[in-house]
Amino acid sequence: MQHAVGAPLPPPHGPGIGHVGRPYQAQHPGHPGHPGQPPIPPPPAGRAHPSRPPAPGHSPPPPPPAHSQAPPPGHAQPSPPPAPGQAPAPGWSGTGPTPPAGEAGGRTGHVQLPPGGPVPLPVPPAEAGTGGATLAVLLIGPAGAGKTTVAKLWAARRRVPTAHVSLDDVREWVRSGFADPQAGWNDHSEAQYRLARRTCGFAARNFLANGISCILDDAVFPDRPVVGLGGWKRHVGPGLLPVVLLPGLEIVLERNAERSGNRRLSDEEVARIHGRMAGWYGSGLPIIDNSTYDVETTARVLDDVLARSIASPPAW
């Protein structure tokens, strides 16, 4: 049987059926499946025609993905609202993407920080020394008094979590443009001192808010408001317990001679600072003369003094 050139060939297996059992229209979109039937429009790409079920043994093609194209940069897909009975993620306003858990406002990484407020007075311990009391301590003393060494040991020997923050260490976080104490006191060094003190106070409040005691050390003068207790009380709170560590001048000069770098001051400067520290006598603050004590003995005496300060806080 011959057909004219260009005429459509009839289906080889009967009307409407193409090769290997597939609908003829699937292979020839738009071609009539039977004489007298109107042409069937081709289905959308990736979808079967709704009026033609798939042949037996052949599953329909999978539907296209919900989002065939990535959203343009800077346009995140909106997150669905929370399910009924489920609380929304912190910081979710009902519109826009839901922030991941642990990244809402007021958090750092995945650890939520409680707000650090003024440190209250600690509760007196029920045992000798400070025991397990959570407290904030300010250890005052001139250069060479040994306050940093004593503070580290006292913090390490406690049976409850205790941190040590040295103001001199925080000041030295500034590398370029550091106000060297050996260059004298000026507006530049005063500004960095205030910044370091505020940073230490913030650290102490957050340590205590998380149940960690904190001991700070600084060379605070009794007759100079800029480098005085008022700033520490303002940044830490009324619960701060100050203790003065004041050995004799000979001991201070000897310990200062063992220092190096910008921590070592001239003998004249050390003597001047030590003389001004003598103003703490008669101030009402507890004073420890550790001229004849080693570090362990001084740390033990400090703990006893702090226990008495908890029971009867000094007026300052």
Side-chain angles (χ1 to χ4, degrees):
M1 181 177 178
Q2 296 181 352
H3 298 274
V5 177
L9 295 175
H13 302 289
I17 302 299
H19 297 287
V20 290
R22 295 176 58 195
Y24 186 78
Q25 291 79 7
Q27 300 181 32
H28 304 278
H31 194 281
H34 192 273
Q37 291 183 352
I40 300 176
R47 297 181 59 187
H49 198 283
S51 63
R52 300 291 183 179
H58 293 272
S59 60
H67 302 284
S68 58
Q69 294 183 354
H75 295 275
Q77 292 293 337
S79 300
Q86 178 182 2
W92 187 70
S93 59
T95 60
T98 304
E103 294 187 5
R107 299 192 179 191
T108 302
H110 295 281
V111 180
Q112 185 177 8
L113 295 177
V119 177
L121 290 172
V123 179
E127 52 188 287
T130 57
T134 303
L135 64 162
V137 180
L138 175 62
L139 193 57
I140 302 169
K147 55 187 181 295
T148 300
T149 306
V150 172
K152 285 182 178 180
L153 182 62
W154 179 82
R157 294 293 178 85
R158 300 197 76 210
R159 61 179 180 82
V160 294
T162 305
H164 167 240
V165 180
S166 174
L167 184 129
D168 286 342
D169 292 343
V170 175
R171 288 185 65 191
E172 291 178 355
W173 289 354
V174 179
R175 309 306 298 175
S176 177
F178 171 66
D180 195 332
Q182 295 179 348
W185 186 265
N186 50 44
D187 293 341
H188 187 47
S189 56
E190 179 178 324
Q192 291 192 6
Y193 173 83
R194 291 178 182 270
L195 175 61
R197 183 175 60 190
R198 186 165 62 248
T199 303
C200 292
F202 175 81
R205 293 197 308 270
N206 278 282
F207 275 129
L208 270 77
N210 286 273
I212 301 177
S213 296
C214 184
I215 181 170
L216 310 107
D217 66 77
D218 182 24
V220 180
F221 294 106
D223 58 347
R224 188 165 187 177
V226 174
V227 193
L229 283 178
W232 283 109
K233 188 174 184 178
R234 181 171 62 255
H235 292 302
V236 179
L240 183 65
L241 300 176
V243 178
V244 181
L245 198 63
L246 190 57
L249 178 60
E250 308 81 20
I251 303 299
V252 171
L253 290 172
E254 180 182 342
R255 293 173 180 171
N256 177 71
E258 299 173 356
R259 292 183 166 191
S260 61
N262 55 34
R263 297 291 181 96
R264 180 173 180 175
L265 305 177
S266 64
D267 290 349
E268 294 77 11
E269 183 69 12
V270 172
R272 188 183 65 83
I273 294 175
H274 186 274
R276 297 182 68 173
M277 289 287 175
W280 287 118
Y281 286 101
S283 65
L285 297 186
I287 298 177
I288 301 175
D289 183 352
N290 60 329
S291 299
T292 59
Y293 297 159
D294 58 11
V295 178
E296 292 197 10
T297 303
T298 306
R300 189 164 56 250
V301 172
L302 173 62
D303 197 69
D304 294 337
V305 169
L306 289 172
R308 292 194 296 270
S309 295
I310 295 173
S312 180
W316 60 287

